[in-house]
Amino acid sequence: MVLRTSAGILLSVCLLSAGCGETEKPEVSSKPVSNEPIPLEDARAVYTLNCASCHGPDGTLQASNAKDLSISTLDEKAIEKMIRKGNDKGMMPYEDMLSTPEIKGLVKFVQTLRK
């Protein structure tokens, strides 16, 4: 009886220790990360969700000191910086909320609002 109990304990210890120290490795995506802008229709959805409340669906609302995007003369780089960093007039930064492809897509979409 002592032999069976000792063998049982030994087997249990071996099984328990076999699982120790093993950690699941996170899956690594084989898909390359792209910095290409999202498609214009997807950018429109991002704009509607994040920007339209102040800028309006067509960019002309000007709520909460928002600029009229239909007459903006900012170049792509300046628009991207504005989206990423916000400004001191009330626009919040979106660099921690939106991905680079979303921001680049927004830049393209905002340019389509110009008259």
Side-chain angles (χ1 to χ4, degrees), residues 36-86:
E36 291 298 312
I38 59 174
L40 210 50
E41 280 307 307
D42 294 341
R44 178 188 304 274
V46 171
Y47 175 88
T48 300
L49 184 65
N50 295 284
C51 313
S53 61
C54 292
H55 290 287
D58 64 353
T60 63
L61 183 59
Q62 296 180 318
S64 302
N65 289 328
K67 295 295 180 188
D68 182 341
L69 301 178
S70 71
I71 58 172
S72 173
T73 58
L74 297 178
D75 65 12
E76 285 188 23
K77 199 171 199 170
I79 296 169
E80 183 173 342
K81 181 179 179 187
M82 184 74 66
I83 294 169
R84 286 187 185 282
K85 303 295 183 185

Side-chain angles (χ1 to χ4, degrees), residues 6-113:
S6 296
I9 292 172
L10 182 60
L11 179 60
S12 296
V13 169
C14 287
L15 290 174
L16 286 174
S17 65
C20 292
E22 289 186 27
T23 58
E24 285 188 39
K25 294 180 181 175
E27 286 188 34
V28 177
S29 174
S30 60
K31 191 190 294 186
V33 176
S34 171
N35 285 329
E36 291 298 312
I38 59 174
L40 210 50
E41 280 307 307
D42 294 341
R44 178 188 304 274
V46 171
Y47 175 88
T48 300
L49 184 65
N50 295 284
C51 313
S53 61
C54 292
H55 290 287
D58 64 353
T60 63
L61 183 59
Q62 296 180 318
S64 302
N65 289 328
K67 295 295 180 188
D68 182 341
L69 301 178
S70 71
I71 58 172
S72 173
T73 58
L74 297 178
D75 65 12
E76 285 188 23
K77 199 171 199 170
I79 296 169
E80 183 173 342
K81 181 179 179 187
M82 184 74 66
I83 294 169
R84 286 187 185 282
K85 303 295 183 185
N87 66 28
D88 61 354
K89 302 198 179 13
M91 182 172 163
M92 61 181 280
Y94 285 89
E95 65 187 343
D96 292 335
M97 295 173 53
L98 300 175
S99 68
T100 294
E102 288 171 323
I103 291 171
K104 289 183 178 289
L106 270 178
V107 170
K108 298 290 186 193
F109 179 76
V110 164
Q111 290 177 316
T112 70
L113 299 175

